[in-house]
Amino acid sequence: METLNPEILNRFINPDISRIPGVGDKEVSVEENEVAIRAGHALMVHAMAQGLAAVVPVTDEPAIPASVGSYRIAPCSMADVHEPPYRVDDTDIQDQLNALRAQNQQGKLDNSLVVACAASVSAAADTLKDTPQAADERIVVYICGGGFVSSDVPLLKWHYIKVSHELGQRVFVPRYHVAPTHQFPRAPYDVCAAMHYLCARGFRPQNMTFVCISAGGSVGLAALHLWHLQGRPMINGAVAIAPSVDLTLAHRSWRGNQDKCVLHYVPPEHPCSMSQMYCGAEAHERLQRHPLVSPLLGPLQHLPPVQVHVGGDDALHDEATELAARINEQQGSAELFVYPKRNHYTILRGKTQLDSLYANIRQLTD
């Protein structure tokens, strides 16, 4: 395995923002894909050798030209927002959620979200306000990934503005807190609290569609589980793109696609595994199968209509395909889209690929 090379990492971590709205349209060459795979594995090998602080790469926050789109960070004040108590089947988790709820209502949590809009969607002065532009405004709630330990909110700015452009809707991105500083259940709590905030601002759940990327799949579906347990009206639908939904990492594609995917397999017993960093070293064995950590292993019939998108070469391929199957087995509604020879990196690269991805998503959002 090659050593960590910042120049190689930069080639696939930081996209060419100057190409927006065509960013990502350039097809990935065989060489670039191989470089990305080597860099992804090298990053985790380096992290496993150097410790947790080495897991999170340093990336530049891309600038977005005003002619392409705009965004702002909006604080989520919960002082006047009714957030019902949390009731789950694990007393410890329930106590942690309700402690977060109490702190949030006292203004002690620094929760916020990004409001983003493509220039092609609206040029109105109130585009970046966190209130509806119309009573029936449809919006996207975008749940970023980052392996539970880093926030892709800055890195994927190009993508959620592109989502706004392609779907013709404004996008709201909860800036959920990440491990290991903020471990489970902080991330799904932050997303659920952001939903309460948006509803208090006048948005309707039935006009919201989740778009969840990678680790955002687990966080987003867990937040919807909490939302359901609170008896709130369910959202319009959810799109899960290359979702991580099982932190036991037991699926065959984790090992079978290692030479084809940027994601490096780190066994759950390793201190740098997603399971241990997200749940904590002492709690991960008990929590990694809980439905709020691994949604695949819990009840799924309460979910809205779900689209699952995954590459055939993705390390997450098997758990993503099983997610769609289990939702349908539990009398829910799920549609599966598998993109041959695409991995966790190339699923969002190439004009033909992106056109196909967005055309499928529009079936759910239009």
Side-chain angles (χ1 to χ4, degrees):
M1 186 68 65
E2 68 182 72
T3 58
L4 190 67
N5 185 322
E7 292 184 2
I8 291 178
L9 285 175
N10 188 67
R11 288 182 60 180
F12 84 101
I13 289 177
N14 295 315
D16 181 6
I17 300 304
S18 65
R19 291 174 45 79
I20 293 177
V23 65
D25 284 355
K26 183 180 179 181
E27 188 55 68
V28 176
S29 66
V30 173
E31 179 185 12
E32 182 185 354
N33 186 38
E34 290 177 350
V35 165
I37 292 171
R38 293 199 304 271
H41 288 275
L43 176 67
M44 283 310 303
V45 169
H46 179 72
M48 292 169 71
Q50 300 298 322
L52 298 180
V55 171
V56 184
V58 177
T59 60
D60 296 326
E61 182 166 342
I64 305 295
S67 60
V68 171
S70 52
Y71 59 90
R72 79 176 181 94
I73 297 173
C76 297
S77 173
M78 302 291 284
D80 299 319
V81 175
H82 174 64
E83 184 182 7
Y86 289 86
R87 295 182 175 86
V88 297
D89 60 0
D90 184 296
T91 302
D92 182 55
I93 297 175
Q94 178 175 281
D95 289 345
Q96 291 181 64
L97 288 167
N98 285 320
L100 289 168
R101 170 180 174 270
Q103 294 176 60
N104 210 9
Q105 292 180 333
Q106 296 167 14
K108 295 181 179 179
L109 300 185
D110 57 342
N111 284 356
S112 60
L113 51 79
V114 173
V115 185
C117 185
S120 59
V121 174
S122 175
D126 62 350
T127 292
L128 299 185
K129 289 185 177 180
D130 53 4
T131 52
Q133 294 181 309
D136 58 350
E137 182 184 4
R138 299 168 69 89
I139 63 171
V140 171
V141 178
Y142 188 108
I143 317 298
C144 285
F148 304 98
V149 298
S150 68
S151 172
D152 280 349
V153 170
L155 174 62
L156 284 177
K157 191 178 297 174
W158 71 270
H159 188 242
Y160 51 78
I161 287 184
K162 190 173 180 70
V163 166
S164 174
H165 172 75
E166 294 289 342
L167 303 184
Q169 298 179 16
R170 292 197 295 160
V171 177
F172 294 77
V173 189
R175 302 173 76 214
Y176 66 83
H177 291 71
V178 297
T181 304
H182 301 279
Q183 294 176 331
F184 172 84
R186 181 65 189 271
Y189 169 79
D190 285 349
V191 173
C192 197
M195 293 176 66
H196 283 294
Y197 176 80
L198 289 171
C199 288
R201 300 296 285 165
F203 293 99
R204 298 173 180 173
Q206 60 267 33
N207 292 333
M208 300 179 186
T209 300
F210 269 25
V211 173
C212 310
I213 309 288
S214 192
S218 174
V219 174
L221 295 184
L224 290 179
H225 188 87
L226 293 175
W227 189 254
H228 166 71
L229 291 175
Q230 290 182 321
R232 301 305 302 270
M234 191 45 65
I235 65 173
N236 168 69
V239 177
I241 301 175
S244 170
V245 288
D246 181 6
L247 262 66
T248 68
L249 306 186
H251 289 81
R252 185 175 300 177
S253 59
W254 262 110
R255 289 187 172 89
N257 283 343
Q258 278 296 282
D259 61 343
K260 305 174 185 176
C261 188
V262 298
L263 298 180
H264 183 72
Y265 175 74
V266 181
E269 60 269 19
H270 194 282
C272 283
S273 70
M274 291 190 296
S275 175
Q276 291 209 32
M277 287 191 289
Y278 187 48
C279 300
E282 296 181 359
H284 83 102
E285 289 188 6
R286 179 177 69 87
L287 291 177
Q288 65 182 358
R289 299 188 64 84
H290 193 278
L292 292 175
V293 173
S294 297
L296 176 67
L297 307 182
L300 300 165
Q301 65 271 19
H302 60 275
L303 292 174
V306 176
Q307 283 188 358
V308 180
H309 301 260
V310 69
D313 289 347
D314 199 320
L316 299 173
H317 170 272
D318 288 5
E319 62 194 79
T321 56
E322 187 175 342
L323 173 66
R326 288 199 178 194
I327 291 173
N328 289 325
E329 288 171 359
Q330 296 182 30
Q331 308 306 310
S333 174
E335 192 170 8
L336 174 66
F337 299 89
V338 177
Y339 304 91
K341 298 184 178 180
R342 297 283 173 171
N343 61 31
H344 208 69
Y345 171 59
T346 57
I347 194 170
L348 292 182
R349 293 295 187 276
K351 187 175 188 307
T352 301
Q353 166 66 17
L354 290 176
D355 285 350
S356 175
L357 180 73
Y358 295 128
N360 291 329
I361 294 174
R362 278 193 288 270
Q363 298 175 22
L364 184 65
T365 60
D366 285 350

